[in-house]
Each structure stands twice: as C-alpha cells, then as structure tokens.
Amino acid sequence: MAILERFSDIIKANINVLLDKMEDPSKMIDQYLNDMMEDLAEVKRSTAGVMAEEARTKRLVDDNQAEVAKYADFAKKALVAGNEGDARTFIAKKQELENVGAGFMTAYAAAHENAVKMRQMHDKLVSDIEALKARREMIKAKVTVAKTQETLNKVNTATEKTQGAMDAFNRMEEKASRMLDEANAMAELNTEAVDEAKALEEKYAAKGTASVEDELEKLKGELGL
C-alpha cells in the first residue's frame, strides 16, 4: 500500500540530521513538532481506516464461518431425518460458502497485516513525538546558552576595541603631560633669565648711589671729627 510506504518514510526520518540543518533550532523545533503532529493526525486517520477494513473483513469471515456451521448442522439434521438429498443440498451450500470464506480469510489476513503495520507506525510516531517534546526544552536551553556565548564574544570584541581606545587615550594624555612639562620648563627658564637681568640692573644701579655710611664719613672728614 502506498500509504504504508509513505508513513514508513516518516518513521524512518532521522530527527538529529534534520535538526543539524536548522538555522535556528529553537524556532524550527516547534515547526518540526507541528509538522509531526500533522503527520500523526493523518496516520491516525489512515490507521483508523485500515483497522476498520480489518474489522469489516473479520466480520465477513465470522459471518461466513457461522453460515458454514449452520449448513453443516442442517446437513446432519437432514441425514438424521433420512433426507439424504436435503443433506446433499446443504453440504453443497456449505462448500460454496467455504470457497467464498477462503477469499474472506485472504482479505482478512492482508487487512490484519496492514493494520498491524499501521498501528506499529502510529505507535512509533507517537513515541518519537513524545521523545522530541522531552528534548525540546533541552534543545532550546542549548540555543539560549549558545546565543549568550555569542553575545559575550561580541562584548569581548567590543571590550578589546575599547581597551585599544583607552591605550591610545593614555598615550595622548602622556604626550599632553610631556608637552605641558616642556612648556612649564620653558616658562621657568624664561622667568629665570628675566630675574637675572633685573638682579644685574639693581647691582649696577646701586654703584651710582652713596650709601648712608659713606656720606656720614664724608661729613666727619669735612668737620674734622
């Protein structure tokens, strides 16, 4: 049956391989579960149909066997009553029903085999879905951790860039400090040169002015003291 082949492929699907191909497992796992639930619904409908066919053919077999038993009983009663002709008629009918019953048995055997396969696939699909549901949160947790790690990696990269900027800032600050120190040193040198000139100016200016003691001695000489 084509439907058996189709759902056999569903059962054989390798979930891990499919997950490996997913760009975002945390989102795709839900989509995959939804797809599997849709497949399960179709499998249920198909399984119900196959099981109904199994029940129908089984009913035909049971009804046929009841009819065969009934005519066999009639044949016995006819013989007991001494009606061999009637017994022959009942036996012929019984044989006719047995021939038909052989076809019913063949149909029932095939329907039963299909029903068993469908039930097995249905149960396997249910089991896979339950297993995947149990793993869904674990998969999502792994994805969350992975995304967090990616964020940390980006932050680390940004931190490295910031550190580079800080290093450059420190170099510029150090350079600015050197420039300020040089400017202050130059100002100090310039200040010392001006002070030295003023000191010399005062030194030579003082030589042109008599001190109080010199003038006092001069007066004493003039007075003969």
Side-chain angles (χ1 to χ4, degrees):
M1 294 177 65
I3 190 158
L4 293 179
E5 296 177 358
R6 180 177 185 281
F7 290 112
S8 178
D9 292 338
I10 294 174
I11 299 305
K12 294 177 182 178
N14 189 323
I15 295 176
N16 290 324
V17 172
L18 291 175
L19 289 178
D20 289 340
K21 296 179 180 179
M22 293 178 182
E23 294 182 358
D24 189 346
S26 63
K27 294 179 180 179
M28 294 302 295
I29 192 70
D30 290 331
Q31 181 60 50
Y32 186 62
L33 270 174
N34 290 337
D35 293 342
M36 291 185 73
M37 291 303 296
E38 291 178 1
D39 290 336
L40 178 60
E42 189 170 350
V43 169
K44 283 181 178 295
R45 289 191 295 270
S46 299
T47 301
V50 173
M51 292 177 68
E53 178 63 16
E54 177 191 24
R56 188 185 72 84
T57 54
K58 180 65 168 60
R59 187 167 55 253
L60 291 175
V61 169
D62 291 342
D63 291 345
N64 176 265
Q65 289 179 343
E67 287 292 297
V68 168
K70 181 181 71 174
Y71 283 105
D73 185 59
F74 284 162
K76 291 178 181 179
K77 290 180 179 179
L79 285 175
V80 171
N83 298 320
E84 187 173 326
D86 293 343
R88 187 177 289 106
T89 300
F90 288 139
I91 291 173
K93 182 62 177 179
K94 180 180 78 71
Q95 291 176 346
E96 178 184 340
L97 290 171
E98 286 176 340
N99 290 333
V100 174
F104 288 157
M105 285 295 297
T106 300
Y108 169 69
H112 176 71
E113 182 179 358
N114 288 337
V116 169
K117 290 180 180 179
M118 288 299 296
R119 281 194 295 266
Q120 288 175 344
M121 285 190 290
H122 169 271
D123 294 345
K124 179 64 168 58
L125 188 54
V126 169
S127 176
D128 286 347
I129 290 174
E130 292 303 315
L132 190 55
K133 283 181 179 179
R135 293 170 56 197
R136 174 170 53 184
E137 295 307 316
M138 176 192 67
I139 293 171
K140 288 188 174 184
K142 286 183 178 180
V143 171
T144 300
V145 172
K147 289 183 177 180
T148 301
Q149 186 60 51
E150 289 178 0
T151 301
L152 289 175
N153 293 339
K154 291 178 181 178
V155 171
N156 287 336
T157 301
T159 301
E160 291 174 359
K161 291 181 179 179
T162 302
Q163 185 60 46
M166 289 296 296
D167 292 341
F169 183 88
N170 291 336
R171 289 195 302 272
M172 293 302 100
E173 184 177 17
E174 184 179 352
K175 183 176 181 180
S177 297
R178 287 198 307 270
M179 292 174 64
L180 180 59
D181 290 340
E182 291 174 0
N184 289 336
M186 184 61 69
E188 183 179 349
L189 291 174
N190 291 337
T191 300
E192 289 176 355
V194 173
D195 292 342
E196 183 178 355
K198 287 184 177 181
L200 291 173
E201 180 181 349
E202 292 174 358
K203 177 181 178 181
Y204 287 103
K207 288 184 177 182
T209 303
S211 66
V212 174
E213 292 298 326
D214 290 343
E215 187 172 352
L216 179 62
E217 289 298 324
K218 184 179 178 180
L219 288 175
K220 284 182 179 182
E222 291 178 352
L223 293 175
L225 297 177

